Amino acid sequence: MRTEDRPVQPAARAVQPADRLATSGWDEARRAAHQVAVPLAASAVPLAEALGTVLAEPVRALVPIPSVDCSAMDGYAVCGPPPWAVVASARAGEDIPAPLWSGAACEIATGAPVPAGTLGVLPYEQARRTGELVDGSVEPGRHIRRSGEECAEGEQVLAAGAVLGPAVLGLAAALGYDTVPVRPTPTVAALVTGNELLERGLPSGGRVRDAIGPMLPGLTAWAGGRLTGTTALADSATALAEALRASDAELTMVSGSSSRGPADHLRPVLLSLGAKLVVDGVRCRPGHPQALARMPDGRLVVGLPGNPLAAFVAFLTLALPALAGLRGLPLPALPCADPPVSGLAGKPGATQLVPVRVRAGQLTELRFAGSAMLRGLAAADALAVIAPTGQVRLHPLP
């Protein structure tokens, strides 16, 4: 019996015949989902469209950075001992000023190229100026950014597989790139099945609000995919088959319809469409009736259980690794709980995924963690992945 403040523990493996409900261990299912996903073909895209994509090739500096010696401060580029006569000025974006001679100074802005002969740059706040004469103390080479100081021309600065965040995009621009070779963001479609689901309003009379559909855009974006649309479907094999045929997304998620009940049509429909079941159930709690299939044209289909927490777990188990594979990224590693956690033992035969709060390195298991509940997950910092052996790893949450 769980309590609000009881501490916690992660994962398993194995593949078996497709006529059993849970045929893959949790770790094995993650690996299978990652391995079946063929990385998308690379293409060159403009920097403005590359956020969140993955580099398909290394990036090398097209020019040295900086391209010339330049000032790191606003002040005076000086030559020889003081005092110095101010004979020129320079701003960023202008040509390199004429060379200085001993006793001469060039008033200079940050980023402007320094003249040949510059001893160092004297910042305004350290300078004493009287008319056109400047005095002060300068260390040789001080406040000068040397050409190639950040990187030399031709130097590799980003490896293939780097995710393009804002800083990476800024660096690529600084290196002279207008486009970058990337693996594009995988497209994802969502099909939400269930006659009992309401998309708006108060649930009543056996009807429930769809809690899975609203989670999928955020989960998909966090995993590096682009959700192209969410379609609500009745519990109908014909409607599901038509929707799967019509989907042109690299990965299609189907929530509900993944178990073995009379309204669960996903597996028979997939087989009728010529799909190959890669994962047919996973030995985990919650989320065991999840599935992963590959369509004849290579598109992937992930079956998410109809209970919200189970669907969330299935997304982490199958959709997240598949999207990593499509992006050309490695399977995300999960850190072990450190120090090891005691309090909740592993259960034979199934990996447990439990919402936990993490404070000062201590894990606290949260209540309201049944497969149909989201209250515990909404308050969680991570999911504790508890192997049958009792080992605990932590799965991050968006």
Side-chain angles (χ1 to χ4, degrees):
M1 178 173 165
R2 296 178 180 170
T3 64
E4 180 82 48
D5 299 315
R6 188 171 63 185
V8 193
Q9 290 155 76
R13 317 186 174 208
V15 161
Q16 285 162 29
D19 58 348
R20 293 182 51 189
L21 182 59
T23 61
S24 297
W26 188 78
D27 283 293
E28 182 185 13
R30 291 181 79 229
R31 289 195 302 271
H34 184 260
Q35 292 168 1
V36 77
V38 177
L40 300 178
S43 61
V45 302
L47 293 182
E49 301 172 13
L51 181 65
T53 59
V54 177
L55 273 180
E57 302 171 10
V59 164
R60 299 182 180 277
L62 301 178
V63 292
I65 303 295
S67 58
V68 296
D69 292 352
C70 61
S71 177
M73 298 287 285
D74 293 331
Y76 302 93
V78 299
C79 180
W84 303 279
V86 180
V87 298
S89 65
R91 296 183 180 181
E94 297 178 347
D95 293 336
I96 300 175
L100 293 176
W101 57 92
S102 184
C106 173
E107 190 169 10
I108 196 165
T110 301
V114 298
T118 296
L119 171 69
V121 172
L122 177 66
Y124 282 133
E125 53 268 31
Q126 297 173 13
R128 300 181 297 277
R129 180 168 180 170
T130 306
E132 297 303 309
L133 283 179
V134 174
D135 202 352
S137 177
V138 176
E139 296 179 35
R142 184 69 169 160
H143 301 309
I144 297 175
R145 294 187 64 211
R146 298 298 181 185
S147 175
E149 177 179 290
E150 185 171 353
C151 57
E153 182 177 352
E155 181 180 349
Q156 179 177 317
V157 293
L158 293 169
V163 178
L164 275 71
V168 175
L169 290 173
L171 175 59
L175 295 172
Y177 286 86
D178 298 318
T179 64
V180 280
V182 299
R183 300 197 187 279
T185 300
T187 55
V188 180
L191 307 177
V192 178
T193 70
N195 293 341
E196 75 282 11
L197 298 180
L198 294 170
E199 295 184 54
R200 59 182 58 82
L202 295 176
S204 64
R207 306 291 297 278
V208 297
R209 283 291 297 269
D210 169 28
I212 296 175
M215 294 194 296
L216 296 180
L219 281 171
T220 300
W222 172 67
R226 178 171 62 86
L227 190 67
T228 58
T230 300
T231 303
L233 296 176
D235 289 320
S236 160
T238 301
L240 180 58
E242 290 175 353
L244 286 172
R245 285 193 198 96
S247 176
D248 59 0
E250 275 100 21
L251 186 148
T252 299
M253 297 181 290
V254 180
S255 71
S257 200
S258 69
S259 190
R260 308 281 176 162
D264 295 311
H265 304 296
L266 180 60
R267 284 170 175 79
V269 165
L270 287 171
L271 294 176
S272 73
L273 296 176
K276 177 184 177 182
L277 281 170
V278 178
V279 174
D280 188 15
V282 179
R283 292 193 298 279
C284 70
R285 294 290 185 275
H288 65 279
Q290 56 189 289
L292 170 66
R294 182 176 55 210
M295 301 290 278
D297 60 3
R299 289 175 297 135
L300 300 178
V301 178
V302 170
L304 308 176
N307 280 324
L309 181 56
F312 193 99
V313 165
F315 183 95
L316 299 185
T317 306
L318 297 178
L320 178 62
L323 287 170
L326 290 171
R327 301 172 74 203
L329 294 175
L331 180 66
L334 302 180
C336 290
D338 186 24
V341 180
S342 61
L344 184 62
K347 294 183 179 179
T351 296
Q352 302 169 79
L353 291 99
V354 179
V356 293
R357 183 178 292 128
V358 184
R359 296 290 185 273
Q362 298 298 312
L363 304 188
T364 301
E365 181 192 0
L366 299 176
R367 294 188 301 159
F368 308 109
S371 63
M373 299 179 180
L374 289 176
R375 183 173 171 181
L377 179 65
D381 299 310
L383 284 182
V385 182
I386 308 164
T389 60
Q391 179 203 33
V392 180
R393 288 170 290 168
L394 294 179
H395 201 302
L397 300 176

